[in-house]
Amino acid sequence: MTSQEEIFLSKARKGISQCLAGSDRLFQGLQASILLSDAYRASFAAVDTALTRFVQNTPSIRPGGPDTAVNYGVFILSTLAQAAVMQLHLTFAEADASAYEKCVRAAKACVGLLDQVSGTSWAPSDMMLGHCWAVVASFLVQQLAWYRSNNRQREAAETEREVTKVLVALNLLVETFPMLAFQVKKIQDLRVSLAV
């Protein structure tokens, strides 16, 4: 990796961390009156805009095409960015179709990123990915429950495959960071509670 790529990845990681922290701050002590405030709306819009720009300008994890080596730094940053989008919009996803669609696209983007590294010698080595994949898996499990309860078998089958891919990746990460096993347990408990 060149020094220019290292500088980009360092700055990008810092930016994504700030966006994640910003979205977390937005939801701490969330009350209806806060949601209606102009300050909250401005903060939400600023974080959403920053994430949207970052996602749009993040390079491909395979910059030379599908047959080239994966840039794992960009893979991690892309995953973090998509998880931050989900984290920001999840609170509103049930009531707002736009927020729900953003969560769906971000979850599918994370699964797509995993697809691009499958079959490589990659082994997950960043603990932050555990949180990201837990957010994705939890959302997908809830989506799976909805598809099954509405007899949408084709969508349910696809979502089941996506959940499996994310859980496989999360379990690989547990081998390096055993404390993430609680994330896997929470997802398993959610599956049981939703009967999926």
Side-chain angles (χ1 to χ4, degrees), residues 107 110-111 114-115 122 124 129-142 144 159-175 180-192 196:
C110 285
V111 173
L114 285 170
D115 286 340
W122 173 75
L129 290 172
H131 171 71
C132 297
W133 292 336
V135 168
V136 172
S138 295
F139 177 77
L140 290 172
V141 165
Q142 291 172 19
L144 176 60
T159 304
E160 179 68 43
R161 284 190 292 275
E162 292 170 341
V163 169
T164 299
K165 287 176 189 177
V166 176
L167 286 175
V168 165
L170 189 53
N171 278 311
L172 284 173
L173 198 57
V174 167
E175 292 175 15
L180 290 174
F182 83 95
Q183 295 279 17
V184 174
K185 172 102 172 77
K186 281 175 54 177
I187 295 162
Q188 290 168 338
D189 291 347
L190 179 62
R191 288 186 89 162
V192 168
V196 293

Side-chain angles (χ1 to χ4, degrees), residues 77-92:
L77 289 173
S78 295
T79 302
L80 289 170
Q82 296 297 345
V85 168
M86 290 185 73
Q87 203 62 39
L88 185 65
H89 290 280
L90 273 172
T91 300
F92 306 106

Side-chain angles (χ1 to χ4, degrees), residues 5-44:
E5 288 173 324
E6 288 176 8
I7 291 169
F8 166 77
L9 292 175
S10 174
K11 287 181 180 180
R13 186 179 180 114
K14 182 179 179 183
I16 289 296
S17 294
Q18 289 172 343
C19 285
L20 280 168
S23 65
D24 283 345
R25 279 193 302 275
L26 284 172
F27 298 113
Q28 288 174 354
L30 208 55
Q31 297 174 353
S33 60
I34 294 171
L35 289 174
L36 299 175
S37 76
D38 290 339
Y40 176 82
R41 288 182 183 157
S43 294
F44 185 94

